[in-house]
Amino acid sequence: MTVRTELPDGSPVWLVTRYTDVRSLLADPRLSVDKSNGNGSWRGFSLPPALDANLLNMDPPDHTRIRRLVSQAFTPRRVEALRPLIQQTADALLDALDGRAEADLVRDYAGPLPVTVISELLGVPETDRPDFRTWTRTMLLPPGGDRAAAARAIGSIHAYLQRLLAVKRAAPAGDLLSALIAAREDGDRLTEDELTSLAFLLLIAGYENTVHAIGTGLLTLLSHPGTPVTPETVEELLSQEPPASMLLRRFPVEDIEVGGAVLPRGETVLLVVSEANRDPDRQGGHLSFGHGVHYCVGAPLARAELEIALGTALRRFPKMRLAIPAEEVRWLPSFRARGLSELPVLLG
Ligand code: HEM
């Protein structure tokens, strides 16, 4: 289905839901992610230029140049090397729950795990991580939330990243940010804004979707006790509950006909992955990590995090069960993302 509708904030959008349409539009160069190709009706986040010059707002060839740099950090070999860190992080978070009768797995587990992993990868010091989590949560408030607080949080993240990049520039370490700075200085391949924006995107993208995927994955597994956590289970969970359910937004650079409708140039198109995955005519893999040039660069890392996070929690607390009926678990009031605001469980 391809329909025109309005978002809760009143902005007009086209929703595309058929699998074949979503998949082909994701690979279609006539759809741009660059907001300057939009007619201005899309609100989205209002980010300063130093955070906005990120991959998800950029078309080729700029996109290709930056993507090449960052994809080197997420090769299967590098992700394999991160598995012990993910495991230690999961173990430490679960150790901290020992002896407790109850927990909120979003607050105590699904939230802190990805932020630790991405911070380690990028080189964000441990003492700064709680601040970063608070700012991110505030920034990602659903529409109708406190916009002034969200703007302040964005300002804090921006200032923090500038400080962090200055520290890494003065004293390079073995982390990804230091490597990206070196790439910037070597032949000027990244502008300063592109560098800051990339750091920002990696922190946000490496965090939000993964928190949601772990949270919803645990909810599904606790509702279906005995399901083994295999790579196939992880794919099925991602397919059923894509965290970025409507996050894939595009602007046609010319009128495009799809599913009997015309997507007019400059209007906002949202590709509804959750519906596409459920399409009875689906032929091909799920689209929860996107498709085409913007396909999630962190997908191998996300898969490893999910497999370890879900498997470890269920093994460590085999009697764990939901503290309230599954239908009463609260979801974030957001059209953009599919994630839980809490997951209360009984541990013993
Ligand atoms: C379950 C977890 C995750 C999900 C469901 C997810 C989903 C997605 C999707 C759907 C896109 C494409 C967006 C579009 O085409 O508009 C994307 C892009 C991206 N993701 Fe992920 N992601 C996850 C985890 C991660 C992690 C852990 C990282 C990094 C550490 C990451 C980094 C990125 C980046 C940098 C992009 C932009 C790629 C580009 O524009 O070329 N993601 N992700």
Side-chain angles (χ1 to χ4, degrees), residues 55-56 63 67 74 118 205-206 209 250 288-290 294 296-298 302:
L55 289 173
L56 282 177
H63 174 269
R67 168 106 187 185
F74 295 94
I118 192 70
N209 285 323
R250 300 290 189 268
S288 303
F289 287 121
H294 293 280
C296 178
V297 92

Side-chain angles (χ1 to χ4, degrees), residues 26 33 55-56 63 67 70 74 118 121 198 201-202 205-207 209-210 213 238 242-244 247-250 273 287-291 293-299 301-302 305-306:
L26 281 171
V33 296
L55 289 173
L56 282 177
H63 174 269
R67 168 106 187 185
V70 72
F74 295 94
I118 192 70
L121 182 71
L198 183 55
L201 177 66
L202 285 168
Y207 169 68
N209 285 323
T210 319
L238 280 165
L247 207 60
L248 284 63
R249 92 65 197 102
R250 300 290 189 268
V273 166
L287 299 173
S288 303
F289 287 121
H291 176 65
V293 294
H294 293 280
Y295 180 81
C296 178
V297 92
L301 176 60
E305 286 187 60
L306 276 168

Side-chain angles (χ1 to χ4, degrees), residues 241-293:
E241 294 284 6
S245 49
M246 286 227 274
L247 207 60
L248 284 63
R249 92 65 197 102
R250 300 290 189 268
F251 306 107
V253 295
E254 58 184 71
D255 291 358
I256 299 176
E257 207 189 319
V258 70
V262 173
L263 303 173
R265 174 173 167 227
E267 297 209 358
T268 308
V269 176
L270 295 182
L271 303 163
V272 188
V273 166
S274 46
E275 290 300 317
N277 285 349
R278 277 196 283 268
D279 185 337
D281 296 328
R282 167 176 150 187
Q283 280 185 357
H286 70 71
L287 299 173
S288 303
F289 287 121
H291 176 65
V293 294

Side-chain angles (χ1 to χ4, degrees), residues 181-253:
I181 291 170
R184 156 153 169 63
E185 255 117 61
D186 168 26
D188 209 17
R189 282 184 294 167
L190 281 178
T191 66
E192 190 66 23
D193 278 0
E194 286 169 351
L195 178 60
T196 319
S197 299
L198 183 55
F200 173 72
L201 177 66
L202 285 168
L203 277 167
I204 301 297
Y207 169 68
E208 190 196 12
N209 285 323
T210 319
V211 176
H212 296 338
I214 297 174
T216 53
L218 284 167
L219 174 63
T220 308
L221 291 172
L222 291 173
S223 309
H224 299 86
T227 312
V229 181
T230 60
E232 294 71 33
T233 309
V234 167
E235 287 318 297
E236 192 46 37
L237 292 168
L238 280 165
S239 173
Q240 280 174 23
E241 294 284 6
S245 49
M246 286 227 274
L247 207 60
L248 284 63
R249 92 65 197 102
R250 300 290 189 268
F251 306 107
V253 295

